[in-house]
Amino acid sequence: MQPAPPPQVVPFLRTAAAYAWRVLVVGALVYSLFAVLGRFHEIGVAVFLGLVITALLRPVADIVARGLPRPLAVALTLLGGIALVLGVLALVGEAVANDRTTLVREFRQGIERIETWLERPPFRLNPEALSDVQERIGRFLSSHRSTLVSEAVSGAHKLVAVLTTLALALFSSVFFIHSGDRQWAWFTGQLPVSVRDRVGIGGRAAWRTFTGYTHGIVLVAAVNAVLVGVALWLLGVPLAVPLALLEFMAAFVPLIGSPIALAVAAVVALASKGPLVAAIVVGLIVVIGQIEGHLLHPLVMSWAVRLHPLVVAISVIAGSIAAGVVGAVVAVPLVSVVWAVYIALREARRATEGEAGAGEAGTGVSV
């Protein structure tokens, strides 16, 4: 009697199982990578900032190097960039110092206006409740003074860590700008010959996408900051320059950064100029969001991989959950680079298969 043949596995199930274990392996590798980066996140952030500085300043260094030795051109470019950043910070500090007295007075008057506004319809809050809240805040600060001091000391340690990260980023950018191509060539030379070409293709696609994204997001942030600064200045809102700088920094977090920064500007406008100006600032949030989403990003981000807004939103949220603000900033360029590498390798594989098919067709014999 013949034994029963083994049951046949459905082809779909066999294919799904094959992809499932591969996905599990890739997921384990990605998790391990993020675990290592989380353990040494200062180094990861420093290298990322070094790459950002390189993407911004290497074209300038290449131009300067046409007339000067390469080391001198790199030094002059970095010193010029540092001077530009320090000049902007000095401008913001001077603006804050000049507006400090006026701002304190306007804020006190603005808080009184807000309290009066909350006491009227439709809120009808009890004035005693508002004064009780202020007293509770004062008692809380007095009773938790030691905790606040310890937090300030902890903040000092964090400041040292931030300065160390910035120093490492600047140190890394010196070598990336000066001889990054030679470093990449050395790295690919250590790999097996069978994967060297694919790594080279993926690396070129990754750097092209990263530089395009970096240039694009800096341009978008600069345009947003100028629009916000001019609008706040025309409305007479104090601290227009610092708020414009806040908008510039927040624009590096796509979709949610600009609304948050403009919400801060709306609070300042509400406290200093009243509800009407605050409402205009809220309208400014909508206008700048439309300009950024429908004009700036389609024009500027065509230099890099253009991602669907849903992918951008999920990436930002996932990055913020994984690594806070740093993760929210890094998430979108990381996803863009990964997708660009995948597209480049897929096109290279298709080109290779096409050449192989053409070669086999060319060697065929017709009868």
Side-chain angles (χ1 to χ4, degrees), residues 4-336:
Q8 296 293 326
V9 180
V10 180
F12 170 77
L13 186 59
R14 184 186 299 112
T15 304
Y19 276 104
W21 73 263
R22 290 178 172 86
V23 170
L24 289 175
V25 171
V26 173
L29 291 176
V30 172
Y31 178 81
S32 302
L33 176 62
F34 275 95
V36 172
L37 290 177
R39 182 66 180 84
F40 303 98
H41 63 277
E42 290 89 355
I43 298 177
V45 172
V47 174
F48 175 78
L49 291 177
L51 292 174
V52 170
I53 296 172
T54 303
L56 293 175
L57 297 183
R58 174 150 189 167
V60 180
D62 291 340
I63 295 175
V64 177
R66 296 176 183 176
L68 295 174
R70 184 76 183 181
L72 182 58
V74 172
L76 290 178
T77 302
L78 287 173
L79 290 176
I82 294 173
L84 177 62
V85 172
L86 293 179
V88 172
L89 294 178
L91 177 64
V92 172
E94 183 178 359
V96 172
N98 293 335
D99 294 341
R100 182 178 58 186
T101 304
T102 304
L103 183 62
V104 170
R105 183 179 68 254
E106 289 184 351
F107 256 89
R108 288 176 178 173
Q109 298 174 355
I111 291 175
E112 293 176 357
R113 286 200 300 267
I114 293 174
E115 291 178 354
T116 305
W117 181 47
L118 293 176
E119 293 170 5
R120 296 175 180 174
F123 299 101
R124 297 185 180 276
L125 294 182
N126 189 354
E128 297 179 358
L130 296 175
S131 60
D132 185 57
V133 170
Q134 295 179 0
E135 293 176 0
R136 288 184 179 181
I137 293 175
R139 289 197 300 268
F140 176 83
L141 294 178
S142 300
S143 60
H144 293 78
R145 186 174 302 171
S146 60
T147 305
L148 295 175
V149 171
S150 64
E151 289 292 334
V153 174
S154 176
H157 289 295
K158 292 180 181 179
L159 179 60
V160 172
V162 169
L163 293 177
T164 303
T165 301
L166 292 177
L168 181 57
L170 188 61
F171 185 73
S172 302
S173 64
V174 171
F175 295 97
F176 292 159
I177 296 174
H178 181 265
S179 56
D181 49 354
R182 292 202 300 269
Q183 296 173 16
W184 177 252
W186 175 87
F187 172 75
T188 55
Q190 311 307 311
L191 300 175
V193 179
S194 58
V195 300
R196 196 173 295 172
D197 291 339
R198 284 180 292 174
V199 172
I201 293 172
R204 287 191 293 271
W207 181 245
R208 183 172 59 250
T209 302
F210 183 80
T211 53
Y213 179 87
T214 303
H215 295 163
I217 198 66
V218 168
L219 183 57
V220 169
V223 173
N224 283 0
V226 171
L227 292 176
V228 170
V230 172
L232 295 179
W233 178 73
L234 292 176
L235 292 172
V237 177
L239 298 179
V241 175
L243 291 174
L245 180 62
L246 177 63
E247 167 65 23
F248 177 82
M249 301 300 296
F252 285 88
V253 182
L255 296 181
I256 63 174
S258 293
I260 291 176
L262 288 174
V264 175
V267 172
V268 174
L270 179 63
S272 59
K273 295 297 180 180
L276 179 60
V277 177
I280 296 175
V281 175
V282 172
L284 185 66
I285 297 176
V286 178
V287 173
I288 290 182
Q290 295 298 315
I291 294 175
E292 180 181 351
H294 294 87
L295 180 62
L296 294 178
H297 273 284
L299 289 177
V300 175
M301 288 304 171
S302 60
W303 303 344
V305 174
R306 191 179 302 173
L307 300 176
H308 193 275
L310 180 61
V311 177
V312 174
I314 294 175
S315 302
V316 170
I317 294 174
S320 62
I321 293 174
V325 178
V326 175
V329 174
V330 174
V332 176
L334 178 61
V335 173
S336 300

